[in-house]
Amino acid sequence: MPAFADPPLLGLPVDCALGRDCYIQQYFDRDPDDGEVLDHGCGALANDGHGGTDFAVPALSSTAAGVTVIAAAPGTVLGTRDGMPDISVRDAGAPDLEGRDCGNGVVIDHGDGWATQYCHLRQGSVVVEPGQRVAMGTPLGQVGMSGRASFPHVHLTVRHGPEKVDPFNPDPGAAPACVAEVGGQAVAQTPRVTPGGRDGLWLDAPPYVPGGLIAVGFADRVPAISDIRTGLRSAAVTAPKAPAMVVWGYAFAAQAGDEIEIVFEGPEGEIGRHVDVLEKSQPFVLRAYGKRTPAAGWAWGTYRGTVIHRRGDAELGRRYIETEVN
């Protein structure tokens, strides 16, 4: 049998609008060396040895509302697990995993030695049973944070036999073309942003996104990152005498040298702007900018915040938010 006979064609494993309601936080690590990371897009959006693709939601409030995990391809359910709590592995009260890193999950057999595994599902959400036949898009459970997870997401692993496979580039011997020859010298290419399309194992491949904005909002103070992770909602209406008016932006896969620009505008035009250059790489970053409330209070009208995430000459994300003072 060929090494990759009859591979399944995959749809997204989660029922959400990619780039709006969910995003890919980590890809498959294609670098075999310890301590080195390389994803299929020539970036480093993976943990060392990461053997799957993480589809994440912005905050815990999203999991409370319910985001459905679905079968990426038709097949037969091989196994399930449920009952593990949704708690960050970094929490002091996290349970001993004892080899249950996947947390609550589902495994589906697609034939010809191919299987997919869905990890970190929400406690009590698994709705399929071993032996059950499923179609592409069949609900399996909901996104959670069980097992070895520190943010809400579903980890999709694709296997052929015992081997883990990168669904974006299933040939294990084909490394990304991340080095180009310029003037006779090898020059590392910057991570590329690719359009969606049928490549790898995907019916419609998600575009490669090396980082960007997850959420933006208005608040009457500088929020804590724990507030954002829980699901802080932007103030749709701000009181004229609120302590302050602050625009915040929450981004993922930030790298040293990235810029986060925040523009604050009011009914009569720009109130101020600030650009912050990040000093270190971080999986998540929160930045905020605003003004204290004037003595007379904020004038009635519409206030707008714009948050822009840049990396070199590339704009990774731009989002807008508005609030009314009345």
Side-chain angles (χ1 to χ4, degrees):
M1 183 176 68
F4 290 94
D6 299 320
L9 290 175
L10 305 177
L12 293 183
V14 60
D15 185 12
C16 61
L18 198 63
R20 186 184 69 193
D21 305 323
C22 60
Y23 63 100
I24 297 179
Q25 171 66 30
Q26 292 194 95
Y27 295 98
F28 190 103
D29 178 21
R30 300 189 60 84
D31 194 302
D33 297 330
D34 290 340
E36 299 294 330
V37 172
L38 180 69
D39 62 42
H40 78 279
C42 299
L45 194 51
N47 284 333
D48 190 20
H50 193 245
T53 309
D54 290 346
F55 293 81
V57 296
L60 288 171
S61 58
S62 302
T63 65
V67 180
T68 304
V69 175
I70 57 180
T76 302
V77 177
L78 280 180
T80 65
R81 179 167 56 219
D82 204 343
M84 295 182 65
D86 293 281
I87 182 171
S88 171
V89 70
R90 297 175 181 172
D91 192 297
D96 184 355
L97 296 175
E98 298 179 354
R100 300 175 297 168
D101 289 4
C102 179
N104 305 316
V106 175
V107 179
I108 298 176
D109 177 15
H110 304 289
D112 291 319
W114 290 90
T116 52
Q117 183 176 17
Y118 309 77
C119 294
H120 313 309
L121 274 58
R122 182 178 174 186
Q123 184 177 20
S125 74
V126 176
V127 294
V128 292
E129 299 178 348
Q132 179 178 338
R133 290 283 299 171
V134 295
M136 177 186 290
T138 298
L140 306 177
Q142 294 184 340
V143 173
M145 199 169 64
S146 59
R148 191 169 299 281
S150 58
F151 57 93
H153 70 287
V154 59
H155 171 101
L156 174 70
T157 299
V158 180
R159 288 187 176 89
H160 187 246
E163 301 299 325
K164 295 178 181 179
V165 177
D166 181 359
F168 290 89
N169 186 354
D171 183 350
C178 299
V179 177
E181 188 171 297
V182 179
Q185 295 184 339
V187 178
Q189 294 180 328
T190 56
R192 54 189 174 85
V193 178
T194 58
R198 185 169 173 173
D199 60 349
L201 298 182
W202 301 101
L203 279 172
D204 188 11
Y208 177 74
V209 179
L213 293 166
I214 301 172
V216 299
F218 267 106
D220 62 3
R221 57 185 169 81
V222 175
I225 198 166
S226 58
D227 296 332
I228 306 300
R229 288 174 174 168
T230 301
L232 177 69
R233 293 190 177 184
S234 176
V237 177
T238 299
K241 289 288 190 176
M245 201 180 299
V246 175
V247 184
W248 56 265
Y250 186 47
F252 75 100
Q255 294 186 4
D258 283 5
E259 294 182 353
I260 305 290
E261 180 176 9
I262 300 177
V263 183
F264 180 23
E265 299 172 286
E268 298 181 357
E270 184 174 309
I271 296 172
R273 68 175 59 210
H274 177 73
V275 178
D276 187 21
V277 180
L278 304 183
E279 296 182 355
K280 61 180 181 179
S281 298
Q282 302 174 69
F284 300 99
V285 63
L286 170 66
R287 289 295 184 268
Y289 170 74
K291 297 287 185 180
R292 292 175 184 253
T293 300
W298 295 105
W300 284 20
T302 301
Y303 291 77
R304 190 185 209 201
T306 304
V307 184
I308 307 162
H309 183 187
R310 297 188 183 92
R311 180 169 300 157
D313 295 331
E315 186 173 294
L316 300 184
R318 177 186 292 255
R319 293 203 181 192
Y320 306 93
I321 191 71
E322 290 185 348
T323 186
E324 293 289 331
V325 174
N326 55 39

